[in-house]
Amino acid sequence: MKKITIIGNWKLNGTKNLVKKFSKKINLKFKKYSKFINIVLSPPYVYIDRMRKKIKDKKNIFLGSQNTDLRKSGAYTGEISVNMLKDIGVKYIFIGHSERRIYHKENNKKISKKFKIVKDNKLIPILCIGETKKEKKYKLTKVILKKQIKKIFNLCGKNAFKNSYIAYEPVWAIGSGKSASIKDINKVHQFIKDYIFKKSKINNNYKKNFYIQYGGSVTEDNALEIISQKNVDGLLIGANSLNYKKFLKIIDIVYKYYKNKYNV
Ligand code: PGA
């Protein structure tokens, strides 16, 4: 059974107090869910270590970072490296989130370098890809996604996506309250899988260790429908991951779906 991954992205939000309350609730409630679900918590850098110390279940709950620099060390004031993140117990690193592409002008070339340094350090990249509203309007979704993925293959080779995650996050869906339609999620996830597997050296182990998440306005109202699609391996949740009640509600919905599915 392939476990579902639910990733929380706190973005530029949170306090010491929220870390304390949040981890307390997760410690209290997550145990039964871990049968089918892993979670990745990604608070801002300064809270990662605090969160890691407070979280008890280190086998099913992991720490993620929302970003990394593409260099290991040196005179780069204000940056944080993969080595440092690894040092404090981070396992997953977001690469190419649309907010970094937009506000920090990260292009596919820079993103592919970050992806490589994450892989080279045996951490797990979560590559975020997606089209803008305008690109969708002009039916460019597949062209854009291919471009975003291709650069990674060019730099990292045929096995680039082994032990990796892709999060399909339409830019227009993020924080808008309007997620992609189920039909589009299915179609796009299928396209991504086909493209990745076609360009990779595939075997079953590869398939088992490759995940596609959906992200963009995931709520307790749409989580069930999204997660029940065959090409969806998990969710990437922004706003609703800051509120432990909502986050746990979504986890509960996913858990019940799997409990039913596997009849246990
Ligand atoms: P959202 O954000 O759930 O608030 O739409 C998702 C994301 O940016 O990863």
Side-chain angles (χ1 to χ4, degrees):
M1 185 194 67
K2 189 167 171 175
K3 263 185 155 187
I4 285 295
T5 311
I6 298 190
I7 305 168
N9 175 12
W10 279 17
K11 309 192 181 187
L12 185 55
N13 299 293
T15 56
K16 284 195 302 194
N17 200 28
L18 184 64
V19 172
K20 190 172 159 193
K21 273 205 228 153
F22 192 94
S23 46
K24 200 170 154 195
K25 289 288 174 194
I26 297 283
N27 286 338
L28 211 71
K29 307 256 178 188
F30 188 70
K31 197 166 190 299
K32 73 169 181 182
Y33 301 131
S34 64
K35 189 167 189 166
F36 305 118
I37 302 170
N38 283 340
I39 53 178
V40 178
L41 303 174
S42 316
Y45 289 138
V46 289
Y47 299 126
I48 294 177
D49 197 39
R50 182 175 287 264
M51 181 77 100
R52 188 190 56 80
K53 283 183 185 141
K54 291 199 182 296
I55 289 292
K56 291 200 181 119
D57 177 357
K58 310 258 195 268
K59 277 204 199 122
N60 306 292
I61 304 177
F62 303 96
L63 271 307
S65 169
Q66 299 169 25
N67 183 34
T68 175
D69 192 57
L70 50 81
R71 292 153 299 214
K72 280 193 168 171
S73 61
Y76 303 105
T77 303
E79 295 301 340
I80 304 272
S81 75
V82 167
N83 298 33
M84 294 167 189
L85 294 167
K86 202 172 171 179
D87 198 29
I88 60 164
V90 163
K91 189 162 178 209
Y92 293 80
I93 301 188
F94 296 9
I95 305 290
H97 190 283
S98 66
E99 285 150 15
R100 294 217 56 92
R101 293 180 191 259
I102 297 166
Y103 303 123
H104 301 271
K105 307 276 175 280
E106 291 194 6
N107 57 23
N108 288 331
K109 189 172 170 201
K110 185 168 186 183
I111 288 162
S112 62
K113 285 186 185 163
K114 288 192 174 190
F115 189 98
K116 185 164 186 321
I117 196 159
V118 171
K119 292 285 310 220
D120 288 350
N121 280 277
K122 310 259 177 296
L123 296 181
I124 302 174
I126 301 170
L127 174 72
C128 303
I129 57 174
E131 81 286 359
T132 62
K133 199 172 178 178
K134 199 167 166 194
E135 287 157 353
K136 181 174 167 59
K137 186 174 161 204
Y138 289 105
K139 302 203 179 327
L140 291 171
T141 301
K142 289 182 183 173
V143 177
I144 295 298
L145 298 180
K146 245 187 187 176
K147 253 196 195 162
Q148 292 173 334
I149 297 170
K150 201 172 168 191
K151 262 272 181 305
I152 310 258
F153 272 120
N154 290 348
L155 189 70
C156 306
K158 276 182 182 299
N159 276 329
F161 288 94
K162 195 172 173 186
N163 284 325
S164 300
Y165 280 59
I166 282 193
Y168 170 53
E169 298 204 294
V171 181
W172 51 271
I174 295 176
S176 68
K178 197 176 180 314
S179 69
S181 70
I182 291 300
K183 199 172 145 216
D184 279 350
I185 294 176
N186 257 324
K187 212 168 64 188
V188 175
H189 280 219
Q190 186 68 56
F191 167 76
I192 296 170
K193 264 192 183 169
D194 289 348
Y195 183 63
I196 300 262
F197 291 158
K198 197 178 95 193
K199 284 188 79 72
S200 307
K201 270 196 201 150
I202 334 166
N203 60 37
N204 281 338
N205 200 30
Y206 192 139
K207 286 188 185 166
K208 226 172 67 194
N209 292 310
F210 170 71
Y211 291 77
I212 306 191
Q213 311 289 117
Y214 170 78
S217 294
V218 174
T219 66
E220 51 197 89
D221 297 325
N222 59 22
L224 178 61
E225 206 181 5
I226 297 174
I227 207 72
S228 48
Q229 305 307 312
K230 83 172 191 325
N231 286 319
V232 176
D233 300 316
L235 304 168
L236 204 172
I237 305 171
N240 284 319
S241 71
L242 275 161
N243 177 321
Y244 56 79
K245 278 193 190 138
K246 289 187 178 171
F247 192 59
L248 280 162
K249 178 80 196 157
I250 294 173
I251 290 172
D252 190 59
I253 289 168
V254 174
Y255 169 76
K256 284 186 179 138
Y257 170 75
Y258 275 87
K259 196 168 177 293
N260 242 328
K261 184 173 168 178
Y262 294 113
N263 204 11
V264 285

